[in-house]
Amino acid sequence: MTTTEERGRTYGYADLPRLMGLMTGDEKHGPAATSTLDVLWVLYDRVLRVGPGSQDDPGRDRFLLSKGHGPMAYYAVLAARGFVPVEWLPGFGSYDSPLGHHPDRTLVPGVEIGSGSLGHGLPLAVGTALGLRAQGLNEPRVWVLTGDAELDEGSNHEAIAFAGPAGLEQLHTVVVDNASASHARPGGIAARFEAAGWSAVTVDGRDHEALHAAFTAPHPGRPHVVVARVEPKTS
C-alpha cells in the first residue's frame, strides 16, 4: 500500500514534501521534521495497525512521537493517511490551530501523547506496554520514535534498562540517528540497547524496504529497537 484517499484526493509518499510545504511560520524545526519523514511514512503506510476509523479501538497499535519538537512530517503523514484534514496544515502553529509546535493528544486525532520535554516518550511507551500486558491485551504493539540526541536524557536510560529484563515484546523503539547526540556510545546506539537485552537493527533511514524489514523482524520475548540513520543534522 502506497497511497490513501482523503476527501476524494489520493495522497502518496511523493505528496509529503508538498503537504509539509503548506506549513509555514517560525519554529518549524525543519531538519528535525524531515529526518523522520521516511520512518513515519513506512510505519503508517505498511506497519501500524491503526487508522482513522480505529484510533480509539483498544486493540489498535499505539504510536508515540517522543521527538515532538519537529512535528511537520508527522502532521503531513497524518493528513495523508486521513486522520486530519489537509486544510488544517496551513494553520500550523497559529493561535487557533489544533496543530501546535508539539502535538496535542486532545486536539489532533490519532495522537497518543502530548509531547514536551525530550526524554518522556520512551518511558511513557514502557508504561503503555505494561498497561496493555496488565489488561491482557497482547496483540497491540507500542511504537515510539525518538532522536539520537534524546537518548542523552537519563529517563531514557532507565526505560531501556527496565524494558529488556521485563521482556516487553510489544515495545518497539525507532531512533532516528542524524548524528546530533552530544555523547558517543561505545559500539554505537544499537549496542546500548543490546546490552540491556533488546533486539536491535541498524538501517538506512531513507530506505523504505530496509525500514520495513527492520520494523517487522521477529524478536520473541524482547523489546525491539530500529536505529534509522539519516544524513547528519546541519542546522
Side-chain angles (χ1 to χ4, degrees):
M1 179 170 23
T2 57
T3 60
T4 189
E5 291 188 4
E6 189 261 347
R7 297 188 182 182
R9 171 72 165 86
T10 299
Y11 296 97
Y13 173 76
D15 294 298
L16 295 180
R18 183 183 66 81
L19 294 176
M20 288 181 65
L22 296 175
M23 291 174 272
T24 59
D26 297 330
E27 299 295 328
K28 292 196 300 181
H29 288 287
T34 55
S35 68
T36 66
L37 187 63
D38 296 272
V39 163
L40 287 166
W41 179 254
V42 174
L43 281 173
Y44 273 91
D45 187 53
R46 302 172 61 180
V47 178
L48 293 175
R49 297 174 296 191
V50 64
S54 62
Q55 59 201 33
D56 296 319
D57 189 330
R60 73 191 183 280
D61 286 348
R62 275 75 166 169
F63 174 79
L64 285 61
L65 181 68
S66 188
K67 189 181 170 74
H69 59 289
M72 290 195 306
Y74 187 38
Y75 292 152
V77 170
L78 289 178
R81 301 305 296 167
F83 287 88
V84 302
V86 170
E87 290 79 9
W88 284 10
L89 299 181
F92 165 68
S94 62
Y95 174 77
D96 58 351
S97 172
L99 304 182
H101 294 300
H102 283 261
D104 187 325
R105 67 176 300 274
T106 67
L107 299 177
V108 186
V111 171
E112 296 282 354
I113 61 170
S115 61
S117 298
L118 294 175
H120 290 171
L122 184 52
L124 286 170
V126 168
T128 301
L130 287 171
L132 291 170
R133 174 189 283 182
Q135 297 175 75
L137 296 172
N138 299 317
E139 292 300 318
R141 298 168 298 190
V142 181
W143 290 82
V144 57
L145 190 157
T146 75
D148 60 320
E150 190 175 353
L151 295 183
D152 291 344
E153 301 289 342
S155 54
N156 279 324
H157 288 279
E158 294 179 5
I160 293 167
F162 175 85
L168 294 183
E169 184 177 340
Q170 289 170 274
L171 177 62
H172 304 74
T173 297
V174 185
V175 181
V176 174
D177 179 9
N178 62 358
S180 59
S182 299
H183 305 291
R185 292 166 181 79
I189 293 173
R192 169 69 184 90
F193 284 83
E194 289 175 325
W198 289 58
S199 166
V201 180
T202 300
V203 297
D204 180 346
R206 301 301 187 191
D207 185 329
H208 290 195
E209 293 305 318
L211 286 168
H212 181 257
F215 292 160
T216 57
H219 49 95
R222 295 189 293 168
H224 184 56
V225 62
V226 176
V227 180
R229 288 179 172 167
V230 299
E231 58 280 1
K233 182 178 178 181
T234 58
S235 63

